[in-house]
Amino acid sequence: MNGTHLSNRLQTVADFVRPGARLADIGSDHAYLPVHLAKQGVISAAIAGEVVKGPYHNALTEIENEQLATVITARLADGLAAIRPDDNVDTITIAGMGGTLITNILESGKAHLTHRERLILQPNVGEDNVRRWLQDNGYQIVAERILAEDGHIYEIIVADSADTPVTYTAAELKFGPFLLREKSPVLQQKWRQEQARLDQVIATMQQAKNAPQQKIAAFKREREQIQEVVLDES
Ligand code: SAM
């Protein structure tokens, strides 16, 4: 992957950035996403935010090599602290991290949000945390994607400010409101894998001398929910 050719995962994130956007890519590492979008002429400006010096220097080097310093600014900062009011950011991407970290970045950076930004989030795990944060903070999910690449399954969640508060069901928070409606083969593959993991956990627990029956029952219910909500034909 580089600024010219993105992974399918990052390309899917890029597809939701609207023409003319003023982007903040938080956790940008090599700044591949903003570099790609700038080279395609999609964005008018971008901040590449990084909290770690190594990835920050990677971003600086990439921006310099591509002669994009007039469009993209790399900043060494924790989360949304990379964004300044006069950046007039209207799109924030946070990709390639756990859902809990993404949620922490959004929560601790609330002061930097105007609620006019589109949030394009790609948690590697813990997607339910992200959806719950969006629901609890006045956003509505406007699109979701799921894709398999290099042995991993990735979800992309796109959210805009909600005119009226949105409440998702427990199933929608867990599986994704749009993904549930679509029930794609990749979604089914993801949750079949989770069932297999639960089966292993249950089998291991059942072998214990004092098998934790309550926990086993909870895992069995979780397995059943996956079957009913995602896998059974409706
Ligand atoms: N966004 C790129 C992608 O999706 O390919 C890079 C993902 S990389 C796995 C995660 C990056 O997020 C790392 O470079 C890490 O330093 C950065 N990061 C983690 N926590 C951060 C924070 N609080 N603020 C800014 N960057 C952070």
Side-chain angles (χ1 to χ4, degrees):
M1 182 169 61
N2 54 41
T4 308
H5 297 289
L6 296 181
S7 60
N8 288 339
R9 173 185 64 83
L10 268 189
Q11 182 60 55
T12 307
V13 172
D15 290 344
F16 286 104
V17 178
R18 292 174 285 205
R22 299 182 66 85
L23 173 71
D25 183 40
I26 304 300
S28 202
D29 197 354
H30 288 82
Y32 289 148
L33 180 65
V35 163
H36 177 79
L37 288 165
K39 286 173 82 170
Q40 299 287 314
V42 176
I43 52 172
S44 55
I47 306 302
E50 253 298 335
V51 75
V52 177
K53 277 188 184 162
Y56 164 70
H57 286 292
N58 293 340
L60 281 178
T61 305
E62 189 73 18
I63 294 162
E64 201 179 286
N65 288 347
E66 297 289 349
Q67 300 181 333
L68 284 169
T70 53
V71 185
I72 309 171
T73 306
R75 287 198 190 125
L76 186 62
D78 187 356
L80 304 189
I83 302 172
R84 298 176 189 162
D86 60 355
D87 293 328
N88 292 314
V89 160
D90 58 24
T91 308
I92 297 175
T93 49
I94 314 180
M97 306 172 206
T100 305
L101 179 53
I102 291 179
T103 305
N104 288 343
I105 288 173
L106 291 168
E107 183 63 29
S108 59
K110 267 184 185 176
H112 299 273
L113 292 172
T114 63
H115 272 260
R116 287 188 296 275
E117 309 91 348
R118 161 165 286 198
L119 305 180
I120 309 170
L121 309 171
Q122 185 269 299
N124 288 339
V125 291
E127 295 85 357
D128 53 334
N129 291 330
V130 173
R131 293 191 186 97
R132 193 169 297 102
W133 187 91
L134 292 168
Q135 168 189 268
D136 294 347
N137 287 276
Y139 287 90
Q140 59 181 335
I141 298 170
V142 296
E144 289 175 315
R145 294 285 185 274
I146 187 164
L147 63 105
E149 185 171 47
D150 298 334
H152 295 279
I153 293 179
Y154 299 107
E155 295 186 11
I156 289 102
I157 302 168
V158 186
D160 291 333
S161 189
D163 298 331
T164 51
V166 178
T167 306
Y168 296 108
T169 65
E172 285 173 330
L173 289 173
K174 180 166 178 169
F175 303 108
F178 285 84
L179 299 181
L180 257 190
R181 254 171 264 163
E182 189 191 28
K183 279 192 195 166
S184 70
V186 184
L187 183 79
Q188 298 195 329
Q189 183 190 343
K190 169 176 173 155
W191 289 102
R192 253 185 236 110
Q193 286 173 3
E194 177 59 12
Q195 274 191 333
R197 192 189 69 81
L198 288 170
D199 286 344
Q200 273 190 352
V201 174
I202 292 167
T204 308
M205 284 183 169
Q206 280 171 335
Q207 282 163 12
K209 239 184 175 178
N210 293 314
Q213 296 304 340
Q214 280 191 342
K215 277 189 185 168
I216 291 173
F219 285 131
K220 282 186 174 171
R221 276 198 301 276
E222 208 178 324
R223 193 191 188 291
E224 197 51 36
Q225 183 203 28
I226 294 170
Q227 190 65 36
E228 283 170 9
V229 179
V230 183
L231 299 176
D232 282 349
E233 293 301 319
S234 46

